[in-house]
Amino acid sequence: MSASGSGETAGLPRTGRPPTSKAEYVHETLRHEIVNGVHPPGASVNQDEVATRLGVSITPVREALRRLESDGLVTYRAHHGATVSGLGVEAAEELRLLRASVEGLSARLAAQRITAAQLAELTEVHDRMVAARDTADSQDLARDSRLFHQMVADVGGPAFLSGHVRSLRRNNPILETVSRWKDPVKASLYLDAHARMLKAFAQGDGAEAERLMAEHILVSPGEDEAH
């Protein structure tokens, strides 16, 4: 497990490999923009504008939009074309509860399985977040918070839970905006939760790690997740 190669460059997430086609390039670019709030729920996605901006023809844009529709990130409406999807209140709450359950279990198992090296890497991400808070870099905070959660899942449930956590984030249209991290009070609360989780991991306290993770995810009912 490593924090390297997990950041974002030139508006695209680092996937460890370049896009294999123009359609994949467009898909990854648009997906990144949608989950980071560049295109909010209900916004139209103009195919001609995307093609011109990304320097491709309409064909890969259409292919990318079909994939995004399959991902649940866009929908097609008559006379409106592609628009960015959004979860209803009930669906968003169900997803929050599911995340709390799955990531809570991942944290419990992580406390039992984490190695000294893995704990050091997780602590490094947390320390980087603390530094980013001090410089008010909310974009970095949001990115590294998602990384922190995925690293916990990778340690706790490499056989199944890790992929499930990744799928929940990837295949559901919850905006991973940086807005929560722009609030210094909320940022401090989130970072304190991460710090307490690290202590539970270091002590091998699975019950406490699970409680802290679930509480952390459920702390802001009704709001878009940024942590």
Side-chain angles (χ1 to χ4, degrees):
M1 178 188 66
S2 175
S4 63
S6 299
E8 297 161 3
T9 300
L12 277 173
R14 292 178 187 169
T15 60
R17 56 175 174 75
T20 58
S21 68
K22 290 181 180 179
E24 183 183 4
Y25 165 64
V26 176
H27 173 266
E28 290 302 314
T29 301
L30 288 178
R31 186 186 184 285
H32 177 73
E33 292 175 350
I34 289 170
V35 300
N36 282 282
V38 176
H39 308 294
S44 297
V45 182
N46 186 290
Q47 296 184 26
D48 291 332
E49 184 276 331
V50 172
T52 300
R53 175 162 60 89
L54 299 183
V56 298
S57 68
I58 287 293
T59 299
V61 175
R62 288 174 177 165
E63 291 179 18
L65 288 173
R66 282 195 292 269
R67 287 184 59 188
L68 290 169
E69 184 180 28
S70 178
D71 292 342
L73 291 175
V74 304
T75 57
Y76 277 94
R77 297 167 53 199
H79 311 300
H80 289 277
T83 58
V84 178
S85 304
L87 285 180
V89 174
E90 290 184 358
E93 182 60 15
E94 286 183 19
L95 181 57
R96 187 188 310 278
L97 291 170
L98 180 58
R99 275 194 59 208
S101 178
V102 173
E103 293 195 42
L105 177 57
S106 295
R108 172 186 282 273
L109 295 174
Q112 301 168 6
R113 298 171 174 175
I114 197 165
T115 66
Q118 289 170 331
L119 181 60
E121 288 190 2
L122 202 57
T123 301
E124 180 182 351
V125 173
H126 174 71
D127 291 343
R128 191 165 67 221
M129 293 178 70
V130 172
R133 177 195 57 185
D134 294 338
T135 59
D137 194 333
S138 55
Q139 182 73 43
D140 285 348
L141 281 168
R143 179 200 64 211
D144 278 339
S145 182
R146 296 192 292 271
L147 175 60
F148 183 96
H149 281 249
Q150 189 59 54
M151 290 170 73
V152 171
D154 290 345
V155 172
F160 175 76
L161 291 174
S162 173
H164 198 43
V165 169
R166 185 175 287 104
S167 178
L168 283 174
R169 286 185 176 274
R170 181 172 184 83
N171 296 326
N172 293 279
I174 291 232
L175 293 181
E176 297 171 349
T177 64
V178 300
S179 59
R180 307 303 171 216
W181 289 103
K182 290 181 179 178
D183 183 330
V185 174
K186 288 182 178 179
S188 293
L189 287 174
Y190 296 156
L191 287 171
D192 179 64
H194 286 186
R196 286 182 287 144
M197 278 185 243
L198 287 171
K199 182 177 180 181
F201 294 147
Q203 295 174 342
D205 191 338
E208 178 68 357
E210 182 175 26
R211 184 190 71 80
L212 289 169
M213 178 64 83
E215 180 182 85
H216 175 48
I217 292 172
L218 296 172
V219 71
S220 304
E223 297 181 351
D224 291 336
E225 288 298 322
H227 56 277

